[in-house]
Amino acid sequence: MQNEVVSREEWLEARRALLAKEKEATRLRDSVNAARLALPWVKVDKDYVFETPEGRKSLADLFDGRSQLLIYHFMLGPDWEAGCTGCSFLSDHVDGALPHLNHHDVTWVAVSRAPLDKIAAYKQRMGWKFPWVSSFGSDFNFDYHVSFSPEDLAKDKVFYNFTPMQPADANDELPGLSAFYRNDKGEVFHTYSSYARGPEELIGTLMILDRAPKGRNEDSTMNFVRRHDEYEEAAKAPSCCH
């Protein structure tokens, strides 16, 4: 299927109309960012312990000497054989950002409930460098509403993305992003969380595809995505003869 073909002058008129909407979206994004920064904080009083390659660490330890911590809730459960495809897609974009984040006083850490050895094996398979720790045996994932026990899923509703939802629409693990701040006293505060499609802007590939002629070209959200080592080598541009 092909879009309407017009003259250059007609294209410029349509493009300027779109530009006005793009500028409006940029201003709205700036407004949303400002509102996000203005959110009140919640002090974290609970002691969470994580298994890391360097041993057991607290939530405060994960800051690694910085004042800001972003935790990506990566879907990899204790009995999963591989990490979530969508989480893997997002995580492919992280390593290149790490030097910039660290220099700007931000630490990025992925957290999953899978045991550390399973995390390490999948991380090696994907070739990633970012810190990734296990919350197995901790309430952390449950308290931040990204993991659900069989008992949770047997209830009438589960709480995800700040909304009660049907357990049939949930899973034992779901994705999210949470932000924390640590002050000079060592106190830790939860400042922000985002779920479902909330962290989508972190996926640069999607932002690039949005500017391609066919866009994301998907039947449902990210249904085209595979783990980066699972794409067929033979997959090339389709021939007009097929």
Side-chain angles (χ1 to χ4, degrees):
M1 184 175 179
Q2 181 174 294
N3 289 21
E4 181 185 7
V5 177
V6 298
S7 68
R8 174 61 60 177
E9 290 74 19
E10 291 173 295
W11 182 88
L12 281 172
E13 182 179 355
R15 180 63 187 92
R16 286 173 180 140
L18 175 60
L19 179 60
K21 292 185 177 181
E22 289 176 334
K23 289 182 176 181
E24 181 181 356
T26 297
R27 289 190 291 269
L28 178 58
R29 186 181 66 220
D30 290 342
S31 176
V32 170
N33 287 342
R36 184 184 296 117
L37 291 176
L39 275 175
W41 296 353
V42 177
K43 187 176 180 181
V44 181
D45 290 319
K46 196 167 185 177
D47 293 327
Y48 296 107
V49 177
F50 304 86
E51 299 293 337
T52 84
E54 296 79 32
R56 291 162 68 85
K57 291 186 177 182
S58 67
L59 181 61
D61 293 332
L62 297 185
F63 282 76
D64 197 24
R66 300 180 182 92
S67 71
Q68 301 166 89
L69 173 67
L70 291 176
I71 286 183
Y72 184 66
H73 304 286
F74 194 113
M75 295 169 63
L76 180 56
D79 57 350
W80 289 34
E81 293 302 316
C84 160
T85 303
C87 292
S88 300
F89 186 39
L90 183 148
S91 297
D92 280 338
H93 299 76
V94 173
D95 280 348
L98 286 181
H100 307 286
L101 293 174
N102 293 165
H103 181 73
H104 209 55
D105 193 34
V106 176
T107 296
W108 174 282
V109 178
V111 172
S112 300
R113 289 186 60 243
L116 198 60
D117 59 346
K118 184 170 287 189
I119 288 174
Y122 189 66
K123 181 179 178 181
Q124 182 177 17
R125 170 186 164 183
M126 293 289 100
W128 295 326
K129 303 298 182 184
F130 57 80
W132 192 354
V133 304
S134 172
S135 62
F136 186 72
S138 163
D139 293 333
F140 183 77
N141 279 46
F142 298 101
D143 289 350
Y144 287 89
H145 307 290
V146 290
S147 293
F148 304 92
S149 67
E151 292 76 20
D152 292 329
L153 296 173
K155 297 176 181 177
D156 293 335
K157 301 282 186 180
V158 297
F159 190 76
Y160 179 68
N161 201 16
F162 313 106
T163 308
M165 65 184 295
Q166 296 291 335
D169 297 325
N171 195 25
D172 58 335
E173 306 290 337
L174 288 172
L177 178 76
S178 292
F180 301 87
Y181 179 78
R182 186 184 184 195
N183 66 17
D184 292 338
K185 297 178 182 178
E187 298 170 317
V188 175
F189 302 87
H190 175 218
T191 67
Y192 176 77
S193 283
S194 180
Y195 304 98
R197 290 184 63 184
E200 187 174 271
E201 288 186 341
L202 279 62
I203 306 176
T205 300
L206 293 181
M207 304 301 110
I208 295 172
L209 286 174
D210 285 342
R211 281 122 179 112
K214 290 185 178 181
R216 301 186 186 186
N217 196 27
E218 57 189 7
D219 298 320
S220 59
T221 303
M222 297 199 306
N223 74 316
F224 64 92
V225 173
R226 304 290 182 270
R227 297 178 184 89
H228 64 241
D229 63 353
E230 293 178 343
Y231 288 109
E232 295 180 12
E233 288 294 326
K236 299 185 185 297
S239 167
C240 61
C241 300
H242 290 300

